[in-house]
Amino acid sequence: MLSFFNISKWSPPRILVTGFAFIILLGGLLLSMPFASREGLPTPFIDAVFTATTATCVTGLVTVDTGSHYSVPGQIIIMMLIQLGGLGFMTMATLFALVLRKRISLKERLILQEAMNQTSMEGIVRLIRKVILYSLTIELVGAVLFAIRWSFDMPLGKAVYFGIFHAISFFNNAGIDLFGQFGVPYVSLTEYVDDPLVNIVTMLLIITGGIGFIVISDLVEYRNNKKLSLHSKVVLSMTGFLIVFGTVVVFIFEFTNARTLGSLHWGGKILASFFQSVTPRTAGANTLDLASLRQATQFLTIILMFIGASPGSTGGGIKTTTFTTLIGAVIAMIRGREDIVLFRYRLARERIFKALTITLLSLSLVIVVTMVLSTTEDQAFLKILFETTSAFGTVGLTLGITPELSTVGKIIICLTMFAGRLGPLTLAYALGPRAEKELYRHPEGKIIIG
């Protein structure tokens, strides 16, 4: 018990969990202050903590509309929490250490390795430099393009502010927006459903933020290396497949739905289908009214949200590489092969066990939370399952029940977002006892499977 309070002996997962929890509580405290709201009144602490959690965990579910409820200082706090949560507090701490020319210790490198989901410490500080450079560059480009577009709809100063806020929000896959201040709360990007520039820039920010910094680095250096790592090949191929598959299915299911795609022209139908396929990759923005989607489309969205983004990114979910490994295991079993082979590389059994563990832990979390919320909330089952999966995948899409959650429901969703951002496996490592090496192996036994 005493070792829990001895920070010097804490494992990297425990430090990450504690660090994120501290940032959320601090952010919640600031957002509950009167200066953070437009009306100059204190925000209920549970709602402030919920907002801090959804910002730090880059989710996007909100109990109060960000644009109409929070003042500019409050919105800036939310924007900072999104940036801090998306890149990770250890990444930001490393940035300050590099600026101050301080040495990165071995302990700090281990924490960075855990935070970036890396298998080795080799080159971890170099990767962090790239993460910071790529992130700021992509966000800057996105902010400029947004500001140019929105300067036609609002004063230039406000357009610049909106550009910066939404570039940070969308790249970090948070999906929190400020458009509710124009009269209709929780409106997201529905007013820009057929606007090519807003849609394309938003989707590119979401995709680049979701594929992960390792893949971005590989793509940037491809001109010199002329090759991609196995990880990048898997991420890009599965990401592309899921986006195309989702686009086609949404287009087919919603083509005749007058409340979604039915009223749009052909270009708008394709653009909206594409957007609704990209955003479940943990982004949280939407251009169609999700509550008006057919149940089949809503269920597809749940599946895409559960899969989520890719390792080392700003997104959540079980990750595209985990899903690819599971598909590979099924194909290998059907073909009677012992090894999972991807792009002529064999996967280690350790990777397969980790993929199975993450998937089962994640599925168990979604099932338990859905069951609990079904007893605490007076909502349809599909809406609760959608909300739970969105929270776990740090997506932020909702069928409209987030503001109606009870206090218990808000707390449960906060914990789910927290678990989804850090990952069930990281939480298990952080909260569980220190692993001890087994001194012996049991004899092999056989059971009948299937």
Side-chain angles (χ1 to χ4, degrees):
M1 182 68 180
L2 292 176
S3 63
F4 183 85
F5 298 98
N6 190 348
I7 298 179
S8 63
K9 294 184 178 181
W10 281 10
S11 64
R14 183 171 292 177
I15 293 175
L16 284 177
V17 170
T18 306
F20 268 97
F22 174 77
I23 292 170
I24 288 171
L25 290 175
L26 179 60
L29 183 64
L30 292 174
L31 290 174
S32 67
M33 300 292 183
F35 74 87
S37 73
R38 285 185 176 274
E39 297 180 356
L41 300 174
T43 300
F45 189 66
I46 181 63
D47 291 319
V49 170
F50 194 100
T51 303
T53 304
T54 198
T56 306
C57 297
V58 290
T59 304
L61 295 173
V62 290
T63 55
V64 293
D65 183 74
T66 307
S68 58
H69 178 81
Y70 289 104
S71 63
V72 172
Q75 294 168 7
I76 292 175
I77 292 173
I78 293 171
M79 181 169 60
M80 293 172 63
L81 289 175
I82 292 172
Q83 187 74 86
L84 193 59
L87 299 184
F89 73 93
M90 279 305 300
T91 301
M92 301 303 291
T94 304
L95 171 62
F96 289 118
L98 293 174
V99 170
L100 297 175
R101 299 182 180 276
K102 289 189 175 182
R103 181 177 175 274
I104 310 299
S105 67
L106 177 61
K107 182 76 171 181
E108 291 166 339
R109 291 171 190 264
L110 287 169
I111 300 171
L112 287 169
Q113 177 189 342
E114 181 70 27
M116 298 303 296
N117 202 12
Q118 296 295 290
T119 57
S120 170
M121 285 191 300
E122 184 180 356
I124 190 67
V125 176
R126 185 167 62 252
L127 175 61
I128 296 301
R129 287 195 182 100
K130 292 179 180 178
V131 166
I132 296 168
L133 175 62
Y134 297 157
S135 299
L136 296 180
T137 302
I138 294 171
E139 288 172 352
L140 177 61
V141 173
V144 170
L145 293 174
F146 277 147
I148 293 173
R149 170 60 186 87
W150 288 327
S151 64
F152 294 95
D153 299 339
M154 59 189 75
L156 181 59
K158 193 167 191 176
V160 171
Y161 172 62
F162 265 51
I164 295 172
F165 185 98
H166 292 93
I168 291 175
S169 178
F170 295 150
F171 174 74
N172 288 286
N173 281 210
I176 298 175
D177 68 273
L178 303 178
F179 292 101
Q181 64 183 265
F182 295 121
V184 182
Y186 313 109
V187 70
S188 193
L189 295 177
T190 52
E191 297 296 321
Y192 297 94
V193 61
D194 55 358
D195 187 303
L197 181 60
V198 172
N199 276 261
I200 292 172
V201 172
T202 301
M203 287 189 289
L204 288 176
L205 287 171
I206 292 169
I207 292 171
T208 51
I211 60 177
F213 298 108
I214 302 169
V215 179
I216 295 175
S217 177
D218 268 7
L219 291 174
V220 171
E221 297 174 1
Y222 181 76
R223 180 180 296 180
N224 298 324
N225 299 335
K226 299 299 180 183
K227 64 178 182 178
L228 294 173
S229 65
L230 173 63
H231 172 81
S232 295
K233 290 178 181 178
V234 171
V235 167
L236 291 173
S237 58
M238 181 53 69
T239 299
F241 169 77
L242 290 173
I243 290 175
V244 172
F245 173 77
T247 301
V248 172
V249 174
V250 171
F251 185 84
I252 293 173
F253 286 171
E254 298 298 322
F255 185 80
T256 59
N257 187 346
R259 296 180 297 172
T260 55
L261 297 184
S263 60
L264 300 174
H265 55 81
W266 271 91
K269 292 179 192 292
I270 296 173
L271 204 57
S273 299
F274 206 135
F275 195 96
Q276 261 53 234
S277 177
V278 170
T279 193
R281 316 313 310 288
T282 81
N286 58 283
T287 57
L288 296 177
D289 179 15
L290 300 180
S292 299
L293 296 174
R294 292 193 168 107
Q295 288 191 351
T297 312
Q298 292 172 351
F299 190 69
L300 169 69
T301 305
I302 290 173
I303 295 172
L304 294 176
M305 290 192 297
F306 185 75
I307 297 172
S310 303
S313 71
T314 58
I318 63 171
K319 304 296 190 295
T320 53
T321 49
T322 302
F323 181 67
T324 304
T325 302
L326 296 178
I327 297 297
V330 172
I331 294 174
M333 178 60 69
I334 292 174
R335 293 182 175 179
R337 297 176 179 176
E338 292 187 2
D339 297 326
I340 299 175
V341 179
L342 302 173
F343 296 98
R344 299 183 179 180
Y345 284 93
R346 171 177 54 86
L347 296 188
R349 292 190 179 275
E350 172 199 348
R351 301 289 95 188
I352 302 170
F353 286 141
K354 186 173 183 179
L356 287 170
T357 303
I358 290 173
T359 304
L360 285 178
L361 285 176
S362 302
L363 189 59
S364 300
L365 176 64
V366 170
I367 290 173
V368 170
V369 172
T370 301
M371 291 174 64
V372 173
L373 288 179
S374 295
T375 62
T376 63
E377 311 302 315
D378 185 19
Q379 299 287 347
F381 175 78
L382 187 61
K383 289 185 177 181
I384 292 175
L385 177 61
F386 193 101
E387 191 86 2
T388 302
T389 310
S390 179
F392 160 74
T394 67
V395 181
L397 297 177
T398 179
L399 298 182
I401 71 171
T402 314
E404 302 173 7
L405 291 172
S406 64
T407 301
V408 174
K410 292 175 183 177
I411 294 173
I412 292 173
I413 290 295
C414 279
L415 294 174
T416 307
M417 290 189 291
F418 188 73
R421 177 65 182 94
L422 290 164
L425 201 57
T426 299
L427 279 177
Y429 287 151
L431 302 177
R434 181 175 295 181
E436 296 180 359
K437 186 176 182 180
E438 294 184 354
L439 301 178
Y440 59 91
R441 296 182 69 188
H442 293 280
E444 182 178 316
K446 294 182 179 180
I447 60 173
I448 299 174
I449 302 294

